């Protein structure tokens, strides 16, 4: 009697194990079918394409032109040197040699980092006042030379920026400092950097100042093509 019960008990457990195993196998097979169907019905997502950084907005005097006080103009998109300088050096390094140092007046730059990593090297950044015009960027390329660019404020309207770029890279001048060039454009056209009209008091001040009248004549009436191929325009 004991042996019969033992055999019956053992058989009962063996049968239960077999049934459980078959249930698990069936469930796993169903899961595999679901995975296969999902892989068939849902194609893989494409890899995201890298987003290129915006090109620098820049105009430069070409080789052979008279240097004057400025070598061109730069219209940055922000006042963040860390984000703006890499695009600028990408353009200038092949043209002028590797830019190793820049200097600015701190008036219009909220943060001036001592070093800025650009593509392939580091640019050291310094600031000087009053030695450097607040609207000018000084660039140095080791063993090659120095260049001075007009900095057009980022919030400047497109029409004003085009005029200032043309003036700063004009073949024969103008013989103005960066700040005088911006003031002259505002005086002539009656607009601020954002292309907003001046209020009456500001317009009177610009139009009545002797310095504004004397320098405004040097600003071109329009940004038309120069007589000779005197400028290189990038990223406009």
């Amino acid at each position: 009697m004991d042996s019969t019960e033992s055999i019956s008990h053992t058989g009962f457990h063996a049968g239960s194990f077999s049934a459980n195993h078959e249930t698990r196998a069936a469930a796993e097979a169903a899961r595999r079918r679901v995975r296969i169907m999902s892989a068939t019905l849902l194609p893989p997502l494409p890899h995201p394409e890298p987003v290129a950084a915006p090109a620098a907005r820049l105009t430069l005097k070409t080789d052979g032109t008279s240097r004057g006080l400025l070598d061109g103009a730069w219209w940055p998109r922000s006042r963040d040197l860390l984000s703006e300088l890499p695009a600028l050096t990408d353009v200038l390094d092949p043209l002028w040699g590797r830019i190793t140092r820049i200097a600015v007046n701190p008036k219009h730059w909220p943060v001036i980092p001592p070093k800025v990593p650009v593509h392939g090297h580091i640019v050291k950044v310094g600031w000087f006042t009053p030695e450097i015009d607040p609207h000018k960027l000084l660039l140095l390329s080791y063993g090659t030379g120095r260049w001075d660019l007009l900095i057009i404020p980022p919030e400047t309207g497109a029409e004003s920026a085009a005029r200032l770029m043309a003036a700063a890279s004009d073949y024969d001048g103008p013989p103005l400092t960066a700040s005088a060039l911006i003031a002259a454009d505002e005086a002539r056209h009656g607009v601020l950097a954002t292309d907003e009209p001046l209020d009456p008091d500001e317009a009177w001040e610009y139009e009545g100042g002797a310095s504004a009248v004397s320098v405004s004549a040097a600003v071109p009436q329009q940004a038309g093509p120069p007589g000779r191929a005197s400028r290189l325009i990038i990223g406009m």
Side-chain angles (χ1 to χ4, degrees):
M1 182 66 179
D2 293 340
S3 62
T4 303
E5 289 179 354
S6 176
I7 292 171
S8 175
H9 184 71
T10 303
F12 172 78
H13 283 286
S16 298
F17 175 78
S18 176
N20 291 337
H21 180 70
E22 290 176 359
T23 302
R24 287 195 297 271
E28 179 60 30
R31 283 193 292 270
R32 283 199 298 270
R33 286 195 296 272
V34 171
R35 287 196 295 268
I36 292 171
M37 290 177 64
S38 298
T40 303
L41 296 176
L42 300 176
L45 295 175
H47 293 290
E49 294 292 333
V51 178
R57 297 180 295 188
L58 189 66
T59 181
L60 306 172
K61 290 181 179 178
T62 57
D63 292 339
T65 61
S66 58
R67 187 173 187 278
L69 298 179
L70 296 168
D71 298 292
W74 177 42
W75 185 20
R77 289 175 169 81
S78 73
R79 298 187 185 277
D80 182 356
L81 287 173
L82 278 172
S83 64
E84 296 293 337
L85 281 181
L88 180 63
T89 58
D90 275 355
V91 175
L92 297 181
D93 283 359
L95 295 174
W96 290 348
R98 175 175 287 190
I99 302 300
T100 54
R101 295 177 180 270
I102 74 158
V104 295
N105 185 306
K107 181 176 181 179
H108 298 300
W109 300 100
V111 177
I112 301 179
K115 297 180 180 180
V116 174
V118 300
H119 296 160
H121 64 288
I122 298 292
V123 173
K124 295 181 179 179
V125 183
W127 59 269
F128 301 93
T129 180
E131 292 86 354
I132 296 181
D133 189 303
H135 291 287
K136 188 172 75 172
L137 179 73
L138 187 155
L139 303 107
L140 296 173
S141 178
Y142 180 75
T144 304
R146 162 187 165 168
W147 296 270
D148 299 88
L149 296 180
L150 167 71
I151 302 172
I152 301 173
E155 62 273 13
T156 302
E159 292 184 5
S160 292
R163 289 193 302 267
L164 289 168
M165 284 191 159
S169 58
D170 188 66
Y171 186 89
D172 293 320
L176 301 178
T177 66
S179 289
L181 194 60
I182 289 177
D185 186 77
E186 292 175 352
R188 175 181 291 276
H189 297 280
V191 295
L192 293 173
T194 55
D195 281 344
E196 294 291 334
L198 294 172
D199 65 40
D201 291 338
E202 290 174 319
W204 180 86
E205 180 179 351
Y206 277 121
E207 293 171 1
S211 60
V213 172
S214 64
V215 299
S216 63
V219 179
Q221 291 281 358
Q222 59 185 3
R228 283 175 278 186
S230 64
R231 70 176 66 104
L232 175 64
I233 302 173
I234 301 166
M236 292 294 290

